[in-house]
Amino acid sequence: MLVSAKEMLDKARAGKYAVGQFNINNLEWTKAILLTAQENNSPVILGVSEGAGKYMGGFETVSAMVAAMDKSLGITVPVALHLDHGTYEGCYKCIKAGFTSIMFDGSHFPIDENVAKTTELVNVAHGLGLSIEAEVGAIGGEEDGVIGKGECADPDECKMIADLGVDFLAAGIGNIHGKYPDNWEGLSFETLAAVNEKVGDMPLVLHGGTGIPADMIKKAISLGVAKINVNTECQLSFAAATRKYIEEGKDLQGKGFDPRKVLAPGFEAIKATVKEKMELFGSIGKA
Ligand code: 13P
């Protein structure tokens, strides 16, 4: 059931668990995530970066695929279709294409410009029943060519952006996209606690969910994180399972070259990763 992400995240924040945002790249990704959510009675957010949207043929294609698949597979758990790290223009494209949630990433703008653009987009999104996420303090690492330095957010700036009426807020707390380097210092719980205190009961978003140890995830949830984004980890599981299939020469046996067979191990691997995350985040049975 396609819905905005507001209600599921308000419930998660109040119930002290988090809903996973899993980024999609194609039909297999989408199907694997939707089925895993349904099988585990968990709400879920499908994240689409601008690059992945382009890769899949544009936001209209993505929106039509997700809406049709949600219906055809008989998905009854709440599902939000969410633009990940949207530009100002990208937000408008996704609103038009039928997404149910957007993220405006104005973190690289001077704060005044971030405020002005976020205010405008909050009004437009809410007028149409969509939820909206904003970001303060850059998330480090590289995602789809967007490189962030990984600064910790300023709690006062978080309060300023939260007060504009956004539904959930991503605050940089030393998290980065992609794999964490060996010398990573870990999440800054000091920053998270300070942000949480300033923004009241607003659901907070933890980007860069790949590779964050379970104890840090649990502590982040206890400090107001209600949405955790995972992208790279599904890509790694998919690639490893596909590599194994090819290296074992299974594509050369019988009809093993059939794309439905070649992509099957990767599909199952995504399902296993998503389930593992849902267990860790505590969203199973919460639909
Ligand atoms: P990872 O790729 O590190 O899991 O991060 C995903 C993310 O934050 C998407 O916005």
Side-chain angles (χ1 to χ4, degrees):
M1 187 183 37
L2 273 177
V3 293
S4 108
K6 180 168 173 49
E7 196 184 321
M8 65 169 90
L9 293 181
D10 283 345
K11 266 173 77 183
R13 159 101 213 195
K16 292 224 176 287
Y17 60 92
V19 177
Q21 171 191 305
F22 301 97
N23 285 47
I24 58 171
N25 291 288
N26 61 15
L27 183 143
E28 278 72 20
W29 244 262
T30 312
K31 191 174 162 194
I33 298 163
L34 287 179
L35 287 176
T36 309
Q38 184 69 24
E39 284 160 16
N40 293 287
N41 198 30
S42 169
V44 76
I45 298 169
L46 302 178
V48 182
S49 67
E50 298 215 350
K54 199 168 163 200
Y55 172 79
M56 287 184 271
F59 295 129
E60 304 269 354
T61 313
V62 177
S63 179
M65 173 180 73
V66 169
M69 198 183 281
D70 182 70
K71 203 168 150 211
S72 306
L73 295 177
I75 305 295
T76 55
V77 296
V79 177
L81 176 59
H82 179 74
L83 171 66
D84 190 24
H85 290 286
T87 57
Y88 177 77
E89 296 74 23
C91 284
Y92 276 104
K93 283 187 190 159
C94 287
I95 290 170
K96 191 163 163 268
F99 277 47
T100 63
S101 187
I102 53 172
M103 172 185 187
F104 172 55
D105 183 355
S107 59
H108 51 285
F109 288 120
I111 187 72
D112 290 350
E113 197 172 348
N114 192 359
V115 167
K117 289 195 157 76
T118 303
T119 306
E120 178 190 314
L121 286 161
V122 163
N123 288 330
V124 176
H126 285 174
L128 295 164
L130 279 75
S131 48
I132 177 165
E133 172 180 348
E135 174 173 327
V136 180
I139 313 295
E142 188 263 338
E143 187 169 71
D144 265 343
V146 181
I147 297 171
K149 281 203 306 284
E151 312 144 6
C152 280
D154 172 348
D156 290 318
E157 284 190 7
C158 288
K159 165 95 179 119
M160 201 191 298
I161 297 287
D163 285 350
L164 303 177
V166 298
D167 300 295
F168 31 102
L169 183 75
I173 55 167
N175 42 333
I176 63 167
H177 291 125
K179 289 182 182 174
Y180 284 87
D182 292 339
N183 62 355
W184 180 51
E185 287 171 14
L187 298 176
S188 167
F189 291 111
E190 208 184 5
T191 306
L192 181 57
V195 171
N196 191 31
E197 199 171 313
K198 288 270 179 191
V199 302
D201 56 5
M202 157 126 348
L204 298 173
V205 183
L206 181 61
H207 282 249
T210 295
I212 298 180
D215 58 330
M216 286 194 201
I217 293 281
K218 293 214 184 299
K219 184 150 184 202
I221 292 172
S222 77
L223 289 168
V225 164
K227 171 175 180 279
I228 303 178
N229 294 6
V230 177
N231 183 13
T232 307
E233 207 153 327
C234 289
Q235 299 185 359
L236 291 168
S237 337
F238 177 86
T242 309
R243 168 185 291 274
K244 186 166 178 283
Y245 182 86
I246 302 280
E247 282 186 350
E248 286 174 355
K250 297 223 170 100
D251 56 320
L252 302 172
Q253 296 162 19
K255 285 269 217 171
F257 54 82
D258 179 333
R260 283 171 276 179
K261 292 205 165 77
V262 176
L263 297 173
F267 171 83
E268 292 300 335
I270 295 171
K271 287 191 74 192
T273 299
V274 170
K275 183 171 180 194
E276 194 184 294
K277 295 295 167 193
M278 286 175 166
E279 272 164 1
L280 176 60
F281 301 165
S283 71
I284 290 187
K286 296 293 189 347

